[in-house]
Amino acid sequence: MDNRAEVREFLMSRRAKISPETAGLPAGGNRRVPGLRRSEVATLAGVSVEYYSRLERGTIAGASSSVLESLARALQLDDTERAHLLDLARAADGIPASGRSRRRSPKNTATRNSLHWALDAITDAVAFVRDSHQDLLATNALGRAFYSPVIGDGGRTPNLARFQFLDPASRDFYPDWELFAEMCVAIMRAEAGRDPHDKALQDLVGELSTRSDTFRTLWAAHNVRTHGSGTKRFQHPVVGELTLAYEELAVTADPGTILMIYTAEPGSPSAERLQLLASYAASEVAEI
């Protein structure tokens, strides 16, 4: 990915989102573009217009941390957007972000017995490990039953992004499909900023951009986010609607991979359905 283009498009997209009123500036007239002018961002950040223009053209290498922080405040970036800007600056300086090596292999993660033992010890919740490419590397038993529409009959490693944008079944599995699509792309955008030399991720972005108009539009928006925690709705083909809370945990032994756990509120209909799915999964195993 072209770092200069990434910086340029990210800064321009953030600038376009802020109105003068929101920034505490007079609106004025004859605005040909949405959001703030370059001169207004420069004033808010305390830098010259010429210097900010250079930054927005993608020449961010060597920018000091104080300038980047001032720019983040001027553009009213949230924590994830701020981290993304810093990642882009590190990449421009030739520094791998977050201490990651630039080439990672998920092979050890997928085959490590201790990780599978840990996943299998989680019996009342959906648990799985995915990497920065949205590949499902490992799941517990309930996770395999839960993600059966994604996993399918086998073949190549299941990928949440491909399922989201290329498989029509995703629109049934995700009742809030548009929201899931935005989240998926924003997470991938943040990953791309952290490691712009990740060829596998570049290839995935290229594939999805070619095959999905929705993905291509969302990718061009340059929105970023982290998962963290929250609640999602699913429509499972076996047990019906599930509202599940999720927590995302970093797998520190394998930088770039995360452990995701989905649970249901105790005593809720979703908890009963999740237990029913666990029983169904156990019966399927027993029949094999």
Side-chain angles (χ1 to χ4, degrees):
M1 295 181 185
D2 183 346
N3 178 263
R4 290 171 67 94
E6 292 293 310
V7 172
R8 180 177 66 252
E9 292 166 13
F10 178 67
L11 291 179
M12 290 178 65
S13 68
R14 298 313 95 177
R15 175 163 64 88
K17 285 191 168 188
I18 304 174
S19 67
E21 293 83 359
T22 301
L25 299 171
N30 298 321
R31 288 184 176 270
R32 294 176 294 176
V33 294
L36 298 178
R37 299 185 175 105
R38 286 182 176 180
S39 59
E40 291 168 332
V41 176
T43 298
L44 292 169
V47 298
S48 68
V49 178
E50 292 76 12
Y51 184 62
Y52 175 72
S53 296
R54 284 178 52 207
L55 294 178
E56 196 173 277
R57 286 195 296 270
T59 311
I60 201 171
S64 68
S65 59
S66 61
V67 166
L68 295 173
E69 291 293 348
S70 296
L71 190 56
R73 287 192 296 271
L75 293 172
Q76 301 180 15
L77 303 185
D78 62 25
D79 289 344
T80 304
E81 291 170 326
R82 173 186 167 277
H84 186 62
L85 176 63
L86 296 178
D87 286 338
L88 292 174
R90 293 189 191 100
D93 288 333
I95 302 171
S98 306
R100 297 185 187 179
S101 61
R102 288 187 172 178
R103 296 185 181 273
R104 300 185 302 274
S105 171
K107 292 181 180 179
N108 291 338
T109 303
T111 60
R112 198 167 64 245
N113 287 334
S114 58
L115 178 62
H116 288 277
W117 297 337
L119 286 170
D120 289 341
I122 302 172
T123 57
D124 295 327
V126 173
F128 63 92
V129 172
R130 69 158 176 81
D131 63 12
S132 58
H133 312 143
Q134 301 292 309
D135 284 336
L136 278 178
L137 302 180
T139 65
N140 66 350
L142 184 52
R144 286 189 290 275
F146 176 76
Y147 271 125
S148 58
V150 181
I151 296 172
D153 296 327
R156 67 177 175 179
T157 302
N159 183 275
L160 293 169
R162 286 194 184 95
F163 176 73
Q164 173 78 51
F165 292 100
L166 304 182
D167 193 330
S170 68
R171 292 187 178 272
D172 295 324
F173 190 58
Y174 301 136
D176 305 309
W177 190 89
E178 290 79 9
L179 176 62
F180 273 60
E182 291 174 2
M183 292 173 65
C184 179
V185 175
I187 290 168
M188 291 175 66
R189 259 290 176 199
E191 292 289 354
R194 277 189 283 271
D195 193 350
H197 302 277
D198 188 332
K199 186 178 184 304
L201 182 56
Q202 292 179 29
D203 291 345
L204 178 61
V205 170
E207 175 189 352
L208 296 177
S209 296
T210 300
R211 302 177 63 186
S212 169
D213 292 340
T214 302
F215 179 88
R216 187 165 56 252
T217 299
L218 292 173
W219 187 257
H222 284 265
N223 293 327
V224 293
R225 66 164 288 153
T226 52
H227 225 142
S229 62
T231 303
K232 293 181 178 180
R233 290 196 308 137
F234 302 89
Q235 185 68 32
H236 195 275
V238 174
V239 297
E241 184 172 320
L242 294 165
T243 300
L244 303 178
Y246 64 85
E247 293 287 338
E248 181 184 275
L249 308 171
V251 181
T252 56
D254 301 291
T257 62
I258 64 98
L259 168 65
M260 185 75 79
I261 299 177
Y262 286 118
T263 55
E265 181 181 353
S268 67
S270 290
E272 296 176 1
R273 292 170 188 150
L274 201 59
Q275 186 58 49
L276 178 62
L277 183 60
S279 300
Y280 171 81
S283 67
E284 289 286 297
V285 171
E287 291 177 3
I288 297 176

